[in-house]
Amino acid sequence: MKKEQLAISNKQLVIRIIKISLFALLFLFCSLLFAQEGGAAAATNSLEETRLATIKYGTETEIAALIQSLKNENADYLDDELVKVAETTRNQKILSGIFSFFGEREKSGLEERAIRAIAERDDEANETVLAAVEYVGNVKAGNAASVLRELLDNEERRFMNAAFRALGRIGADADDTAEYLIEYYTDRDPGDDNRRDLIIALGSVGSTLGVSFLSDIASNSEERISLRIAALDSLSKIGDPDGLEAILACVSAQDPNIRSSAVAALGPFSGDDVDNAILEAFRDSYYRTRIAAAQASRQRQLAAAVPYLKYRAERDDVPTVKDEAIRALGAIATSEALEVLDSLFIERRNADRIRMLSAEMLMKNEPAQYLSRLIVELDEAKQKNMTPLYNGFLKVLGETRTENMESVARRLMQTSGIIEKSYGLDIAANNDLVSLSEEIKILANDRNESLSRKARRTMERLGIE
């Protein structure tokens, strides 16, 4: 009896030891998990604190490097801090970098500082003034028009080309600005280096008052080719029918650059003469004219061009012509055009760039119809280690918006690859997949800082706490 009791006692002891061991292991696992999450959060906080310190106390080189990092990440959470720096500093590299960073995104907030830099240009570096001029043009700051005119009236050659371009992009009081530019070209001396920028500005303004002036330049065979090309482009931007005659006259010009520019300018116009000119341009031996024909077909969604585009996409000896033909087929998007794109995508002997671009066009037009086929080709590329093609198809998936994307995004986010996880986040963001909140939260604590930041931005976009 005592032996049985002793055996039972030993058994209970063993069970207790096992329970304690399991509890200890569970405690250790949880501790490591919390430590990892805390470490990721601490790393994130540390990075943001470091960046704030760089903005406040960093050198021009350090701030330039930070701005480049923010550009790469497409991050805007430090914009307010950068505005504060711009308001107080006169360091040319810092100011130029901030103007450029904001201008490329057309982000407002620096208009007054930029106007002050232009008005007080004698106290600023040339680089800063040029960056300020570019900025007010990019954000279309209407209140900067007067200071730009004042700069041009002083005929300061170092700033004139940038000022003309900016004044045109602002487009404030279009007719008055057009008259000002035409008068400047005709009655003053903008200089040969600035005439082209003035003509471009006139097109950006968009006033029909410039059509006759631009038509005369485009039709003048004795005028410089660069100015004629700029005039054709400006006529296209304005899009007034009164400018069409001059453009059509240039389609048959002797100079191939004039021909290609004239064909490219036909996009906004309509009519049989325009259609015939575009279709005939596909036969031009100069490759830029064929590119222009594809672009004009794309802009006008010219269904009659589909057979020509098919031929160019399959057989042209210039890769860029093939690319533009495929983009045009995607824009036209008739059943005939989509059939051509499908054949280009599914043919595995085609070049990677042809297949990737065709897939992109198909997914933009009929994503539900072609999603399963894209996934099949994606898996095929991965299995055969065709890395560029695989990554290209991943990018197309990441930009796709359609139903039934949840399982695709989850699959990518649960793989071991950083690239796959990143595109999985793109799919979740583009398709509002709040249902993947748990998977996104896991990636928000990933050791890879770039991936974790992207996951947190995705959470913010989807409203995930």
Side-chain angles (χ1 to χ4, degrees):
M1 188 67 179
K2 290 182 178 180
K3 289 182 179 181
E4 292 176 359
Q5 290 176 342
L6 183 60
I8 292 173
S9 177
N10 289 338
K11 185 177 180 181
Q12 290 174 340
L13 180 62
V14 170
I15 292 173
R16 183 174 295 179
I17 292 172
I18 292 173
K19 288 182 177 179
I20 293 172
S21 299
L22 289 173
F23 179 79
L25 287 172
L26 180 61
F27 178 78
L28 178 61
F29 174 78
C30 291
S31 299
L32 290 172
L33 180 62
F34 288 134
Q36 182 179 358
E37 292 179 352
T44 300
N45 292 336
S46 176
L47 176 65
E48 294 183 357
E49 289 171 0
T50 300
R51 288 180 165 183
L52 281 171
T54 299
I55 291 176
K56 291 179 180 179
Y57 314 114
T59 66
E60 57 191 32
T61 304
E62 292 165 343
I63 292 177
L66 171 58
I67 289 175
Q68 187 59 53
S69 297
L70 294 172
K71 283 183 181 179
N72 295 339
E73 298 167 14
N74 194 26
D76 60 3
Y77 68 95
L78 291 174
D79 282 358
D80 290 343
E81 298 299 325
L82 290 171
V83 169
K84 293 177 184 177
V85 173
E87 290 295 337
T88 56
T89 186
R90 281 191 178 271
N91 184 294
Q92 67 175 41
K93 291 188 176 180
I94 293 175
L95 264 179
S96 300
I98 296 175
F99 281 139
S100 174
F101 180 45
F102 276 58
E104 288 174 7
R105 295 175 296 147
E106 299 181 5
K107 181 70 178 285
S108 61
L110 293 173
E111 290 89 340
E112 294 302 323
R113 181 65 183 93
I115 291 172
R116 191 165 79 247
I118 299 169
E120 300 173 0
R121 53 191 173 275
D122 291 338
D123 298 325
E124 301 278 7
N126 287 354
E127 182 183 352
T128 301
V129 179
L130 288 170
V133 170
E134 290 289 339
Y135 172 76
V136 295
N138 286 336
V139 300
K140 298 178 175 57
N143 57 340
S146 59
V147 75
L148 289 173
R149 285 198 186 192
E150 185 266 332
L151 187 153
L152 289 168
D153 289 339
N154 285 339
E155 298 186 5
E156 298 184 53
R157 301 287 178 179
R158 53 189 174 158
F159 304 129
M160 285 177 68
N161 56 354
F164 280 128
R165 291 195 304 269
L167 188 61
R169 286 197 294 268
I170 289 172
D173 197 352
D175 288 347
D176 183 62
T177 302
E179 289 179 347
Y180 174 82
L181 291 170
I182 293 170
E183 183 271 334
Y184 204 112
Y185 190 101
T186 305
D187 299 337
R188 305 194 207 182
D189 180 21
D192 290 341
D193 294 340
N194 298 312
R195 292 183 190 278
R196 180 175 176 274
D197 289 304
L198 192 154
I199 292 171
I200 292 172
L202 195 54
S204 298
V205 169
S207 170
T208 57
L209 294 182
V211 171
S212 176
F213 172 78
L214 293 168
S215 296
D216 290 342
I217 294 175
S219 304
N220 186 356
S221 60
E222 297 182 0
E223 187 59 88
R224 288 161 48 193
I225 290 176
S226 62
L227 299 185
R228 295 180 69 190
I229 290 173
L232 287 166
D233 182 59
S234 289
L235 286 170
S236 180
K237 287 180 180 177
I238 296 172
D240 187 89
D242 289 342
L244 179 58
E245 183 179 352
I247 296 173
L248 287 172
C250 292
V251 168
S252 57
Q254 290 295 317
D255 187 275
N257 293 296
I258 297 293
R259 289 201 308 273
S260 63
S261 298
V263 174
L266 290 173
F269 301 95
S270 60
D272 291 340
D273 290 342
V274 176
D275 292 351
N276 292 334
I278 293 172
L279 296 179
E280 189 63 27
F282 281 108
R283 304 178 185 277
D284 199 299
S285 59
Y286 185 51
Y287 77 99
R288 290 190 183 278
T289 305
R290 300 197 300 278
I291 290 175
Q295 291 172 338
S297 301
R298 174 186 178 185
Q299 187 173 354
R300 300 188 65 246
Q301 297 182 327
L302 183 60
V306 170
Y308 295 85
L309 294 167
K310 178 179 185 294
Y311 187 91
R312 289 296 140 208
E314 292 175 344
R315 305 188 186 188
D316 204 284
D317 55 357
V318 179
T320 311
V321 177
K322 290 185 175 183
D323 292 351
E324 291 301 327
I326 291 171
R327 291 189 180 97
L329 288 166
I332 295 170
T334 61
S335 58
E336 182 185 3
L338 293 178
E339 286 177 8
V340 176
L341 291 170
D342 185 27
S343 65
L344 293 171
F345 163 61
I346 207 66
E347 177 52 69
R348 293 178 178 174
R349 289 175 296 181
N350 280 338
D352 288 356
R353 61 187 288 162
I354 296 296
R355 299 190 66 199
M356 290 185 293
L357 190 53
S358 298
E360 180 184 342
M361 296 300 105
L362 289 171
M363 297 307 289
K364 284 183 177 179
N365 286 286
E366 295 290 345
Q369 179 178 345
Y370 294 100
L371 176 61
S372 59
R373 190 175 298 181
L374 175 59
I375 293 173
V376 169
E377 296 304 317
L378 176 78
D379 291 338
E380 172 75 11
K382 184 176 183 180
Q383 182 180 352
K384 292 187 176 180
N385 294 321
M386 302 170 71
T387 303
L389 183 62
Y390 176 68
N391 289 339
F393 284 158
L394 276 177
K395 182 176 184 295
V396 173
L397 264 182
E399 296 170 351
T400 297
R401 293 174 171 84
T402 187
E403 297 178 354
N404 304 319
M405 293 298 288
E406 181 177 331
S407 59
V408 178
R410 180 179 287 109
R411 167 187 161 184
L412 292 176
M413 284 192 278
Q414 291 177 347
T415 61
S416 59
I418 299 296
I419 294 176
E420 286 86 347
K421 291 176 180 177
S422 178
Y423 284 122
L425 289 170
D426 287 339
I427 294 173
N430 290 332
N431 292 274
D432 297 324
L433 298 178
V434 181
S435 55
L436 295 175
S437 58
E438 293 305 317
E439 286 82 356
I440 298 172
K441 287 178 182 178
I442 292 173
L443 295 185
N445 290 315
D446 196 273
R447 292 182 179 180
N448 184 286
E449 290 184 0
S450 177
L451 185 65
S452 65
R453 283 196 298 273
K454 185 171 186 177
R456 289 194 298 276
R457 290 198 300 270
T458 303
M459 290 173 64
E460 292 175 4
R461 177 172 174 178
L462 296 179
I464 298 172
E465 294 184 0

